[in-house]
Amino acid sequence: MKNYAIRLVWFTTLFVFIFTGLCQTNALLPLISSLFILGSFLVPYMVYTVLNDDYETDKKFKDWYADNPEKHQLRKKHLHKIKN
């Protein structure tokens, strides 16, 4: 997912922001309609690509957040003391 899927997510996000901005202006209706039809295929394709990507990790849900694993361990110890 590091290359294609992430780039597709960024492209789709940029596309949605541009589409939203054009809807607020006096852009031509055929242009907005064409972008709407394109977006109707782009967003589901992005979701499908991200969900079917061959991304593997050694993290489990019990590992908590990668940026602060110590906090989870302290909380577990605290809850263990409360139960006993």
Side-chain angles (χ1 to χ4, degrees):
M1 186 161 85
K2 295 232 183 238
N3 290 330
Y4 182 69
I6 293 294
R7 288 182 186 157
L8 184 60
V9 169
W10 277 107
F11 176 75
T12 305
T13 304
L14 183 64
F15 175 85
V16 169
F17 277 111
I18 291 172
F19 176 74
T20 305
L22 286 175
C23 287
Q24 300 300 317
T25 63
N26 289 333
L28 298 173
L29 187 60
L31 174 66
I32 293 176
S33 299
S34 301
L35 291 176
F36 178 76
I37 293 170
L38 179 65
S40 297
F41 293 103
L42 184 62
V43 172
Y45 177 68
M46 176 198 65
V47 171
Y48 176 80
T49 303
V50 169
L51 291 178
N52 288 320
D53 194 41
D54 292 331
Y55 179 76
E56 293 183 12
T57 182
D58 57 349
K59 305 275 187 212
K60 303 288 184 217
F61 186 70
K62 66 178 181 172
D63 293 333
W64 204 244
Y65 294 101
D67 61 343
N68 201 358
E70 297 84 23
K71 186 176 181 180
H72 178 63
Q73 295 300 327
L74 291 174
R75 185 170 180 245
K76 267 175 89 172
K77 289 179 185 177
H78 178 69
L79 289 176
H80 182 67
K81 287 179 185 178
I82 292 173
K83 288 181 183 178
N84 293 333

